[in-house]
mmCIF file with all atom_site columns, all heavy atoms in Angstrom:
data_model
loop_
_atom_site.group_PDB
_atom_site.id
_atom_site.type_symbol
_atom_site.label_atom_id
_atom_site.label_alt_id
_atom_site.label_comp_id
_atom_site.label_asym_id
_atom_site.label_entity_id
_atom_site.label_seq_id
_atom_site.pdbx_PDB_ins_code
_atom_site.Cartn_x
_atom_site.Cartn_y
_atom_site.Cartn_z
_atom_site.occupancy
_atom_site.B_iso_or_equiv
_atom_site.pdbx_formal_charge
_atom_site.auth_seq_id
_atom_site.auth_comp_id
_atom_site.auth_asym_id
_atom_site.auth_atom_id
_atom_site.pdbx_PDB_model_num
ATOM 1   N N   . GLU A 1 29  ? 115.665 103.520 110.890 1.00 87.00 ? 29  GLU A N   1
ATOM 2   C CA  . GLU A 1 29  ? 117.070 103.933 110.963 1.00 87.00 ? 29  GLU A CA  1
ATOM 3   C C   . GLU A 1 29  ? 117.924 102.892 110.260 1.00 87.00 ? 29  GLU A C   1
ATOM 4   O O   . GLU A 1 29  ? 117.655 101.699 110.321 1.00 87.00 ? 29  GLU A O   1
ATOM 5   C CB  . GLU A 1 29  ? 117.511 104.061 112.419 1.00 87.00 ? 29  GLU A CB  1
ATOM 6   C CG  . GLU A 1 29  ? 118.832 104.811 112.607 1.00 87.00 ? 29  GLU A CG  1
ATOM 7   C CD  . GLU A 1 29  ? 119.104 105.143 114.067 1.00 87.00 ? 29  GLU A CD  1
ATOM 8   O OE1 . GLU A 1 29  ? 118.253 104.839 114.937 1.00 87.00 ? 29  GLU A OE1 1
ATOM 9   O OE2 . GLU A 1 29  ? 120.173 105.703 114.335 1.00 87.00 ? 29  GLU A OE2 1
ATOM 10  N N   . THR A 1 30  ? 118.949 103.363 109.562 1.00 81.00 ? 30  THR A N   1
ATOM 11  C CA  . THR A 1 30  ? 119.886 102.464 108.894 1.00 81.00 ? 30  THR A CA  1
ATOM 12  C C   . THR A 1 30  ? 121.313 102.851 109.234 1.00 81.00 ? 30  THR A C   1
ATOM 13  O O   . THR A 1 30  ? 121.598 104.002 109.578 1.00 81.00 ? 30  THR A O   1
ATOM 14  C CB  . THR A 1 30  ? 119.722 102.522 107.365 1.00 81.00 ? 30  THR A CB  1
ATOM 15  O OG1 . THR A 1 30  ? 120.020 103.852 106.917 1.00 81.00 ? 30  THR A OG1 1
ATOM 16  C CG2 . THR A 1 30  ? 118.318 102.134 106.941 1.00 81.00 ? 30  THR A CG2 1
ATOM 17  N N   . TRP A 1 31  ? 122.177 101.883 109.159 1.00 70.00 ? 31  TRP A N   1
ATOM 18  C CA  . TRP A 1 31  ? 123.617 102.123 109.289 1.00 70.00 ? 31  TRP A CA  1
ATOM 19  C C   . TRP A 1 31  ? 124.301 101.454 108.118 1.00 70.00 ? 31  TRP A C   1
ATOM 20  O O   . TRP A 1 31  ? 123.728 100.590 107.447 1.00 70.00 ? 31  TRP A O   1
ATOM 21  C CB  . TRP A 1 31  ? 124.161 101.508 110.573 1.00 70.00 ? 31  TRP A CB  1
ATOM 22  C CG  . TRP A 1 31  ? 123.723 102.158 111.843 1.00 70.00 ? 31  TRP A CG  1
ATOM 23  C CD1 . TRP A 1 31  ? 124.364 103.129 112.549 1.00 70.00 ? 31  TRP A CD1 1
ATOM 24  C CD2 . TRP A 1 31  ? 122.534 101.862 112.585 1.00 70.00 ? 31  TRP A CD2 1
ATOM 25  N NE1 . TRP A 1 31  ? 123.657 103.459 113.673 1.00 70.00 ? 31  TRP A NE1 1
ATOM 26  C CE2 . TRP A 1 31  ? 122.536 102.698 113.727 1.00 70.00 ? 31  TRP A CE2 1
ATOM 27  C CE3 . TRP A 1 31  ? 121.471 100.977 112.415 1.00 70.00 ? 31  TRP A CE3 1
ATOM 28  C CZ2 . TRP A 1 31  ? 121.524 102.663 114.680 1.00 70.00 ? 31  TRP A CZ2 1
ATOM 29  C CZ3 . TRP A 1 31  ? 120.462 100.948 113.348 1.00 70.00 ? 31  TRP A CZ3 1
ATOM 30  C CH2 . TRP A 1 31  ? 120.490 101.786 114.464 1.00 70.00 ? 31  TRP A CH2 1
ATOM 31  N N   . GLY A 1 32  ? 125.564 101.811 107.922 1.00 64.00 ? 32  GLY A N   1
ATOM 32  C CA  . GLY A 1 32  ? 126.310 101.147 106.855 1.00 64.00 ? 32  GLY A CA  1
ATOM 33  C C   . GLY A 1 32  ? 125.627 101.347 105.522 1.00 64.00 ? 32  GLY A C   1
ATOM 34  O O   . GLY A 1 32  ? 125.200 102.447 105.184 1.00 64.00 ? 32  GLY A O   1
ATOM 35  N N   . ALA A 1 34  ? 122.804 99.613  104.345 1.00 59.00 ? 34  ALA A N   1
ATOM 36  C CA  . ALA A 1 34  ? 121.482 99.002  104.247 1.00 59.00 ? 34  ALA A CA  1
ATOM 37  C C   . ALA A 1 34  ? 120.754 99.611  103.057 1.00 59.00 ? 34  ALA A C   1
ATOM 38  O O   . ALA A 1 34  ? 120.784 100.820 102.857 1.00 59.00 ? 34  ALA A O   1
ATOM 39  C CB  . ALA A 1 34  ? 120.700 99.229  105.533 1.00 59.00 ? 34  ALA A CB  1
ATOM 40  N N   . THR A 1 80  ? 115.429 95.162  115.469 1.00 86.00 ? 80  THR A N   1
ATOM 41  C CA  . THR A 1 80  ? 116.766 95.521  114.980 1.00 86.00 ? 80  THR A CA  1
ATOM 42  C C   . THR A 1 80  ? 117.419 94.316  114.333 1.00 86.00 ? 80  THR A C   1
ATOM 43  O O   . THR A 1 80  ? 117.416 93.209  114.883 1.00 86.00 ? 80  THR A O   1
ATOM 44  C CB  . THR A 1 80  ? 117.657 96.030  116.125 1.00 86.00 ? 80  THR A CB  1
ATOM 45  O OG1 . THR A 1 80  ? 117.030 97.155  116.741 1.00 86.00 ? 80  THR A OG1 1
ATOM 46  C CG2 . THR A 1 80  ? 119.029 96.451  115.605 1.00 86.00 ? 80  THR A CG2 1
ATOM 47  N N   . TYR A 1 81  ? 117.971 94.512  113.156 1.00 83.00 ? 81  TYR A N   1
ATOM 48  C CA  . TYR A 1 81  ? 118.710 93.476  112.438 1.00 83.00 ? 81  TYR A CA  1
ATOM 49  C C   . TYR A 1 81  ? 120.143 93.950  112.218 1.00 83.00 ? 81  TYR A C   1
ATOM 50  O O   . TYR A 1 81  ? 120.397 95.136  112.023 1.00 83.00 ? 81  TYR A O   1
ATOM 51  C CB  . TYR A 1 81  ? 118.091 93.208  111.067 1.00 83.00 ? 81  TYR A CB  1
ATOM 52  C CG  . TYR A 1 81  ? 116.759 92.517  111.102 1.00 83.00 ? 81  TYR A CG  1
ATOM 53  C CD1 . TYR A 1 81  ? 115.585 93.244  110.972 1.00 83.00 ? 81  TYR A CD1 1
ATOM 54  C CD2 . TYR A 1 81  ? 116.663 91.135  111.243 1.00 83.00 ? 81  TYR A CD2 1
ATOM 55  C CE1 . TYR A 1 81  ? 114.345 92.620  110.983 1.00 83.00 ? 81  TYR A CE1 1
ATOM 56  C CE2 . TYR A 1 81  ? 115.435 90.504  111.262 1.00 83.00 ? 81  TYR A CE2 1
ATOM 57  C CZ  . TYR A 1 81  ? 114.286 91.238  111.125 1.00 83.00 ? 81  TYR A CZ  1
ATOM 58  O OH  . TYR A 1 81  ? 113.060 90.626  111.140 1.00 83.00 ? 81  TYR A OH  1
ATOM 59  N N   . GLY A 1 82  ? 121.052 92.998  112.237 1.00 77.00 ? 82  GLY A N   1
ATOM 60  C CA  . GLY A 1 82  ? 122.426 93.297  111.860 1.00 77.00 ? 82  GLY A CA  1
ATOM 61  C C   . GLY A 1 82  ? 123.275 93.877  112.959 1.00 77.00 ? 82  GLY A C   1
ATOM 62  O O   . GLY A 1 82  ? 124.215 94.606  112.692 1.00 77.00 ? 82  GLY A O   1
ATOM 63  N N   . ILE A 1 83  ? 122.968 93.533  114.227 1.00 64.00 ? 83  ILE A N   1
ATOM 64  C CA  . ILE A 1 83  ? 123.771 94.053  115.342 1.00 64.00 ? 83  ILE A CA  1
ATOM 65  C C   . ILE A 1 83  ? 125.183 93.479  115.288 1.00 64.00 ? 83  ILE A C   1
ATOM 66  O O   . ILE A 1 83  ? 126.163 94.177  115.533 1.00 64.00 ? 83  ILE A O   1
ATOM 67  C CB  . ILE A 1 83  ? 123.111 93.715  116.688 1.00 64.00 ? 83  ILE A CB  1
ATOM 68  C CG1 . ILE A 1 83  ? 121.746 94.413  116.780 1.00 64.00 ? 83  ILE A CG1 1
ATOM 69  C CG2 . ILE A 1 83  ? 123.994 94.116  117.851 1.00 64.00 ? 83  ILE A CG2 1
ATOM 70  C CD1 . ILE A 1 83  ? 120.967 94.070  118.017 1.00 64.00 ? 83  ILE A CD1 1
ATOM 71  N N   . THR A 1 84  ? 125.285 92.207  114.963 1.00 68.00 ? 84  THR A N   1
ATOM 72  C CA  . THR A 1 84  ? 126.592 91.551  114.896 1.00 68.00 ? 84  THR A CA  1
ATOM 73  C C   . THR A 1 84  ? 126.932 91.214  113.452 1.00 68.00 ? 84  THR A C   1
ATOM 74  O O   . THR A 1 84  ? 126.069 91.203  112.574 1.00 68.00 ? 84  THR A O   1
ATOM 75  C CB  . THR A 1 84  ? 126.585 90.260  115.720 1.00 68.00 ? 84  THR A CB  1
ATOM 76  O OG1 . THR A 1 84  ? 125.690 89.314  115.109 1.00 68.00 ? 84  THR A OG1 1
ATOM 77  C CG2 . THR A 1 84  ? 126.139 90.531  117.147 1.00 68.00 ? 84  THR A CG2 1
ATOM 78  N N   . ALA A 1 88  ? 124.443 90.159  110.382 1.00 65.00 ? 88  ALA A N   1
ATOM 79  C CA  . ALA A 1 88  ? 124.510 90.856  109.108 1.00 65.00 ? 88  ALA A CA  1
ATOM 80  C C   . ALA A 1 88  ? 124.702 89.859  107.971 1.00 65.00 ? 88  ALA A C   1
ATOM 81  O O   . ALA A 1 88  ? 124.092 89.977  106.904 1.00 65.00 ? 88  ALA A O   1
ATOM 82  C CB  . ALA A 1 88  ? 125.649 91.876  109.118 1.00 65.00 ? 88  ALA A CB  1
ATOM 83  N N   . LEU A 1 93  ? 122.705 91.793  104.985 1.00 65.00 ? 93  LEU A N   1
ATOM 84  C CA  . LEU A 1 93  ? 122.942 93.230  105.010 1.00 65.00 ? 93  LEU A CA  1
ATOM 85  C C   . LEU A 1 93  ? 124.379 93.500  104.590 1.00 65.00 ? 93  LEU A C   1
ATOM 86  O O   . LEU A 1 93  ? 125.307 93.037  105.232 1.00 65.00 ? 93  LEU A O   1
ATOM 87  C CB  . LEU A 1 93  ? 122.691 93.796  106.414 1.00 65.00 ? 93  LEU A CB  1
ATOM 88  C CG  . LEU A 1 93  ? 121.252 93.689  106.910 1.00 65.00 ? 93  LEU A CG  1
ATOM 89  C CD1 . LEU A 1 93  ? 121.160 94.135  108.358 1.00 65.00 ? 93  LEU A CD1 1
ATOM 90  C CD2 . LEU A 1 93  ? 120.324 94.507  106.048 1.00 65.00 ? 93  LEU A CD2 1
ATOM 91  N N   . GLY A 1 96  ? 128.029 94.661  106.706 1.00 61.00 ? 96  GLY A N   1
ATOM 92  C CA  . GLY A 1 96  ? 127.687 94.677  108.118 1.00 61.00 ? 96  GLY A CA  1
ATOM 93  C C   . GLY A 1 96  ? 126.682 95.739  108.498 1.00 61.00 ? 96  GLY A C   1
ATOM 94  O O   . GLY A 1 96  ? 126.606 96.154  109.638 1.00 61.00 ? 96  GLY A O   1
ATOM 95  N N   . GLY A 1 97  ? 125.890 96.205  107.534 1.00 67.00 ? 97  GLY A N   1
ATOM 96  C CA  . GLY A 1 97  ? 124.926 97.264  107.811 1.00 67.00 ? 97  GLY A CA  1
ATOM 97  C C   . GLY A 1 97  ? 123.867 96.837  108.808 1.00 67.00 ? 97  GLY A C   1
ATOM 98  O O   . GLY A 1 97  ? 123.519 95.662  108.912 1.00 67.00 ? 97  GLY A O   1
ATOM 99  N N   . ASN A 1 98  ? 123.380 97.787  109.604 1.00 76.00 ? 98  ASN A N   1
ATOM 100 C CA  . ASN A 1 98  ? 122.330 97.533  110.580 1.00 76.00 ? 98  ASN A CA  1
ATOM 101 C C   . ASN A 1 98  ? 121.025 98.168  110.114 1.00 76.00 ? 98  ASN A C   1
ATOM 102 O O   . ASN A 1 98  ? 121.023 99.136  109.358 1.00 76.00 ? 98  ASN A O   1
ATOM 103 C CB  . ASN A 1 98  ? 122.705 98.113  111.943 1.00 76.00 ? 98  ASN A CB  1
ATOM 104 C CG  . ASN A 1 98  ? 123.911 97.413  112.534 1.00 76.00 ? 98  ASN A CG  1
ATOM 105 O OD1 . ASN A 1 98  ? 124.232 96.292  112.161 1.00 76.00 ? 98  ASN A OD1 1
ATOM 106 N ND2 . ASN A 1 98  ? 124.600 98.090  113.440 1.00 76.00 ? 98  ASN A ND2 1
ATOM 107 N N   . LEU A 1 99  ? 119.924 97.644  110.621 1.00 84.00 ? 99  LEU A N   1
ATOM 108 C CA  . LEU A 1 99  ? 118.610 98.089  110.199 1.00 84.00 ? 99  LEU A CA  1
ATOM 109 C C   . LEU A 1 99  ? 117.659 98.040  111.380 1.00 84.00 ? 99  LEU A C   1
ATOM 110 O O   . LEU A 1 99  ? 117.553 97.026  112.060 1.00 84.00 ? 99  LEU A O   1
ATOM 111 C CB  . LEU A 1 99  ? 118.104 97.161  109.089 1.00 84.00 ? 99  LEU A CB  1
ATOM 112 C CG  . LEU A 1 99  ? 116.798 97.489  108.384 1.00 84.00 ? 99  LEU A CG  1
ATOM 113 C CD1 . LEU A 1 99  ? 116.929 98.779  107.599 1.00 84.00 ? 99  LEU A CD1 1
ATOM 114 C CD2 . LEU A 1 99  ? 116.419 96.340  107.453 1.00 84.00 ? 99  LEU A CD2 1
ATOM 115 N N   . ARG A 1 100 ? 116.965 99.178  111.657 1.00 89.00 ? 100 ARG A N   1
ATOM 116 C CA  . ARG A 1 100 ? 115.956 99.229  112.719 1.00 89.00 ? 100 ARG A CA  1
ATOM 117 C C   . ARG A 1 100 ? 114.591 99.482  112.094 1.00 89.00 ? 100 ARG A C   1
ATOM 118 O O   . ARG A 1 100 ? 114.445 100.330 111.217 1.00 89.00 ? 100 ARG A O   1
ATOM 119 C CB  . ARG A 1 100 ? 116.276 100.325 113.729 1.00 89.00 ? 100 ARG A CB  1
ATOM 120 C CG  . ARG A 1 100 ? 117.512 100.070 114.575 1.00 89.00 ? 100 ARG A CG  1
ATOM 121 C CD  . ARG A 1 100 ? 117.727 101.198 115.559 1.00 89.00 ? 100 ARG A CD  1
ATOM 122 N NE  . ARG A 1 100 ? 116.686 101.219 116.592 1.00 89.00 ? 100 ARG A NE  1
ATOM 123 C CZ  . ARG A 1 100 ? 116.373 102.302 117.305 1.00 89.00 ? 100 ARG A CZ  1
ATOM 124 N NH1 . ARG A 1 100 ? 116.990 103.452 117.070 1.00 89.00 ? 100 ARG A NH1 1
ATOM 125 N NH2 . ARG A 1 100 ? 115.449 102.241 118.240 1.00 89.00 ? 100 ARG A NH2 1
#
Side-chain angles (χ1 to χ4, degrees):
E29 194 169 357
T30 62
W31 291 266
T80 302
Y81 290 99
I83 297 176
T84 66
L93 296 174
N98 295 339
L99 186 65
R100 292 181 69 202

